[in-house]
Amino acid sequence: TITINTNTISATSSLNLTGAAASTWQTTGANSTLTISSASTTLISSNNTLTASSSQDMLFTTAGSERMRILSTGEIGIGSSTAATLFSVATSTNIFNITSGGRVGIGTTSPAYTLSIVGNIYGSGNAIFGGTLASATTTITGDLLPNANLTYNLGSPTAKWANIYVGTTTIG
């Protein structure tokens, strides 16, 4: 049964709503539900939430192109029809990913650490490391300062520098 304004219509088959340039489908009332279904499956049901009640992915498109997809498994992909991880933002390559284990990858879909970055990193503020800084090559374009005088070593008895270059002198 369908009520339009004060008129009640009994429908014996599907109701097809067609509009001109733009159509609005609206339900009102505290417990109103708008349901969009195909022949055999409820695709989207809305009652204060947007729910895809089928096993199909939920797609968001603009201007005829897919922009975002929520997979039926819960992964979210923006800029891609697939999600490489729990949350992926992609351009021509996956550039930002969050895994189900909480790891964040920038430039990688399989971050090995809490934060894994493939590519160059630029920072304009301070970088503070509380553990070991392991690197193939690190270039520092500013001062390298300890946070207290006469407290920290450069190297150790078991991890020694081969040469230290200071001004015009080489130590080592």
Side-chain angles (χ1 to χ4, degrees):
T1 304
I2 302 166
T3 303
I4 300 174
N5 294 331
T6 58
N7 301 315
T8 300
I9 303 167
S10 295
T12 56
S13 62
S14 299
L15 172 65
N16 294 316
L17 300 175
T18 305
S23 298
T24 300
W25 298 357
Q26 181 178 3
T27 61
T28 58
N31 294 313
S32 299
T33 301
L34 172 65
T35 303
I36 302 171
S37 301
S38 66
S40 60
T41 306
T42 300
L43 301 175
I44 297 176
S45 178
S46 175
N47 184 2
N48 296 327
T49 60
L50 185 60
T51 305
S53 41
S54 70
S55 61
Q56 302 296 314
D57 299 345
M58 186 180 290
L59 282 67
F60 296 85
T61 63
T62 60
S65 296
E66 181 177 335
R67 305 299 181 189
M68 183 173 87
R69 178 182 294 240
I70 302 175
L71 279 65
S72 61
T73 54
E75 287 90 1
I76 300 171
I78 297 176
S80 173
S81 61
T82 60
T85 57
L86 183 64
F87 179 74
S88 299
V89 178
T91 54
S92 59
T93 60
N94 281 319
I95 59 168
F96 181 82
N97 297 281
I98 300 175
T99 68
S100 59
R103 292 181 174 177
V104 175
I106 300 174
T108 178
T109 59
S110 53
Y113 301 96
T114 304
L115 174 62
S116 294
I117 301 172
V118 174
N120 296 329
I121 302 169
Y122 170 79
S124 62
N126 297 322
I128 300 168
F129 299 95
T132 301
L133 177 60
S135 162
T137 301
T138 300
T139 302
I140 299 171
T141 59
D143 296 328
L144 179 61
L145 304 172
N147 69 352
N149 287 333
L150 303 173
T151 305
Y152 302 101
N153 299 315
L154 186 58
S156 73
T158 57
K160 300 175 183 172
W161 294 94
N163 292 299
I164 299 174
Y165 302 92
V166 181
T168 60
T169 305
T170 301
I171 302 170

